[in-house]
Amino acid sequence: MRRNTLIMVVITILVIASCSLVPKQPEGPATPDGGGEAAVPAGAGLSAGAAAIAEARGLTPDDISAALKTYLPTGVHDDYVIFASGGHSGQVLVIGVPSMRLLKVIAVFTPEPWQGWGYGVGNEVLAEGDVNGREVRWADTHHPALSETGGDYDGQFLFINDKANARVAIIDLRDFETKQIVKNPVAINDHGGTFVTPNTDYVIEGGQYAAPLGWEYAVLDDYNDKYRGMVTFWKFDRDQGRIDPASSFTIELPPYWQDLCDAGKLASEGWIFCNSFNAERATGGIESGNPPFEAGASQGDTDYMHLINLVKAEEVYKAGNTTEVNGFPVISLQTAIDEGILYLTPEPKSPHGVDITPDGQFMVISGKLDPHVTIYSFEKMMAAIESGNWDTDDYGVPVLPLDDVKEAQVEVGLGPLHTQFDNQGYAYTSLFLDSAVARWSLGGDFADLHPEEPWQLVGTTSVHYNIGHLLVAEGDTVSPDGKYLVAMNKWAIDRFANVGPLLPQNFQLIDIDNTGDSMQLLYDMPIGIGEPHYAQMIEYAKLSPWEIYPEIGWDPHSQSVSPNAVQPGEEKIVRNGNEVEVFMTAVRSHFTPEHVEIEQGDHVIWHITNIERAYDATHGFSIPAYNINLSLEPGEAQTIEFDADQPGVFSYYCTEFCSALHLEMTGYMLVKPNGSAALLAK
Ligand code: K7E
Ligand code: CUA
């Protein structure tokens, strides 16, 4: 590994040296054929073989350096890992950086056969996400949030929301498995989640489309009175690795469409910020001659950023000053106003998201219909609250005047959406309409880190196409790493081979570690499942997942040894009336027992433990016709239950090619037809 690194460094130096001899290509929108740039000149410092490849492919020096920057020889691990939402696949994607290799798809809200998720195991977690008793086995995941300590990723847990049904899931990063799903009792859909407070005391789930709280009914004519927004604070119990709904609460908000939230940190710790759109409270109805939502919700020049005092809200909740919605404590809008929990301030033109600088001093908002980002000062907000100089909205919520709280505005380009930060005093904003990323300079304490004037556009780079979120390595924490930026592009169009009318999304890796103004595009990665919205990038060294489960007989759900663990030599089948209990082990290359004889109508409880201690020695277990399909990682114990209602002969077998004798890793489940035992006895 050390030798490989050395070789890489030497090659990189050679190539960089050769690149500097070539005039830099002007940056412009890429042409679909990707042509236009000169091929690498002969004698540019490459070996004869490499030069021949470069020439045959028409590679430019930039192409070659991009290839080298992302290439990892076999066995070399990535420096960073991305956790990306899987969009409406309901799952989470794990991607290595800089290689952009897909490392894993984590099953979350949706059954995932290769992980045995939802086919005998995982069902109880999936069932926690049932909505009003109905099975909902998909989700529209939007915003993953890594757990934080002191405002920095700690690599322990991952949270993610389901916009479609207002649910939140928790993934334990010791085994990358989903442990819990909570359904919001107050809201039927969400968007402003998940985000965590700096020590992960709370997981934030903000709403989106206003509706009567508690999934109630009210006609749209009553929108102003009966429809409401909300933000829920889920208390996280780190020891249990679970959200504790009994210590969680919601704040009722006006029926503006809360969009995204972010937790204050350092200077602003204890406060929460949520942007919103449709402060117009448009209710649509294009078919009745009303302005469509897209027009009605964009009439006004401003919407409202919400400032929420979480410290005060927690006090009020703990004092019991709440009402109940579906049995869940809610701080009413009036209480939030009376107690100084909620303030508003204008934000320009249909914004999307609020992003807080690493020091917690500034809140960045981009109006989708405004070419600027607007930067707010936390200090000025606090002073404005202190001064008491404000008007109120229709609901009596104080509205802090924009001029009192605004720090700066930077014109960045068309369709600005989301912003992240690096370690050199720059911010990066995605430009949906321009299909570009804008880099701009921060002010305040960051002004010393870069040569430019504060609050200035420094440069833009084109992406392909229609970028939504972007992410920088640890770029939403108190200490961003810079180095890499990933553009999460909504459209791919011509970037990849045509695979029919439904196209993948395009993640583009950009090197932002260059000093100066260049941002080099390195790599395009197609995302062929769902539409990822947001992602976070964590240093790989911060993760410490298990290689195998800590002890034989481990139950991943409880993260402890299962009382039903089966040790080698303890395999057996126990009958108790018409209940049959199977105690089975799996190891290369056999299940014990290999014959399971039961009778039609028996209730079967089947315990199975993978007793392997070798890294990667996973066994599968499937029973045909009974819809059972497990993945048993080394040490893992699982229990499945079913009624043997179908007689016949069923070969259970291992679904992982685990050894040379994997095909022999099988057994017979013989289900005697009803009454046959009685017949034989005669
Ligand atoms: Cu697609 Cu954050 Cu849900 Cu923006 S969100 S693009
Ligand atoms: Cu175990 Cu194949």
Side-chain angles (χ1 to χ4, degrees), residues 66 130 140 179 305 321 337 340 348-349 360 399 435 480 666:
D130 288 352
D140 184 17
K179 303 303 176 191
M305 174 164 34
N321 190 2
I337 296 166
K349 281 280 180 197
V399 180
S435 283
T666 185

Side-chain angles (χ1 to χ4, degrees), residues 33-76:
D33 63 3
E37 290 185 274
V40 67
L46 298 178
S47 74
I53 294 169
E55 199 187 338
R57 292 199 184 160
L59 300 182
T60 65
D62 268 359
D63 294 336
I64 294 169
S65 74
L68 286 176
K69 284 176 182 177
T70 57
Y71 176 71
L72 294 181
T74 183
V76 177

Side-chain angles (χ1 to χ4, degrees), residues 426-602:
Y426 296 114
Y428 299 82
T429 299
S430 53
L431 304 174
F432 181 84
L433 296 175
D434 276 347
S435 283
V437 172
R439 173 191 259 172
W440 49 278
S441 59
L442 294 170
D445 294 342
F446 300 100
D448 299 340
L449 295 176
H450 53 72
E452 289 88 2
E453 291 289 306
W455 315 126
Q456 295 267 322
L457 179 67
V458 174
T460 58
T461 199
S462 295
V463 293
H464 316 90
Y465 303 87
N466 297 356
I467 178 174
H469 277 273
L470 49 69
L471 58 149
V472 172
E474 311 213 350
D476 62 358
T477 71
V478 295
S479 67
D481 286 12
K483 295 185 182 160
Y484 299 110
L485 180 150
V486 172
M488 303 175 73
N489 301 304
K490 303 293 184 193
W491 288 29
I493 310 182
D494 53 13
R495 292 297 99 174
F496 306 108
N498 186 356
V499 288
L502 179 59
L503 272 67
Q505 288 209 323
N506 184 13
F507 279 14
Q508 287 185 307
L509 179 67
I510 295 171
D511 179 1
I512 56 167
D513 209 17
N514 312 324
T515 47
D517 59 0
S518 81
M519 289 185 271
Q520 188 188 4
L521 180 61
L522 300 181
Y523 197 84
D524 285 31
M525 179 195 188
I527 304 291
I529 72 157
E531 180 196 320
H533 287 261
Y534 184 52
Q536 290 182 329
M537 195 191 311
I538 182 175
E539 191 188 351
Y540 173 58
K542 284 188 176 175
L543 299 170
S544 44
W546 291 324
E547 294 186 347
I548 58 173
Y549 279 110
E551 291 179 58
I552 286 181
W554 198 262
D555 173 5
H557 191 60
S558 67
Q559 296 288 41
S560 61
V561 173
S562 165
N564 296 315
V566 185
Q567 300 295 338
E570 292 177 0
E571 300 90 346
K572 60 189 171 190
I573 300 172
V574 179
R575 174 174 285 278
N576 191 350
N578 71 339
E579 191 177 280
V580 177
E581 207 166 355
V582 180
F583 296 83
M584 174 177 273
T585 58
V587 71
R588 280 162 290 171
S589 303
H590 54 269
F591 295 109
T592 308
E594 292 187 334
H595 299 163
V596 174
E597 296 181 43
I598 51 188
E599 306 214 2
Q600 184 180 9
D602 281 345

Side-chain angles (χ1 to χ4, degrees), residues 142-143 191 260 352 417-418 468-469 490 531 533-534:
H142 275 238
H143 305 101
H191 188 247
L260 284 172
H352 191 29
L417 297 182
H418 301 291
H469 277 273
K490 303 293 184 193
E531 180 196 320
H533 287 261
Y534 184 52

Side-chain angles (χ1 to χ4, degrees), residues 621-637:
F621 177 77
S622 68
I623 305 179
Y626 280 88
N627 199 30
I628 284 165
N629 167 38
L630 312 181
S631 173
L632 297 153
E633 284 81 75
E636 182 169 350

Side-chain angles (χ1 to χ4, degrees), residues 588 618-620 654-659 662 665:
R588 280 162 290 171
T618 294
H619 297 289
C654 169
T655 50
E656 288 264 341
F657 205 109
C658 52
S659 64
H662 150 80
M665 193 163 175

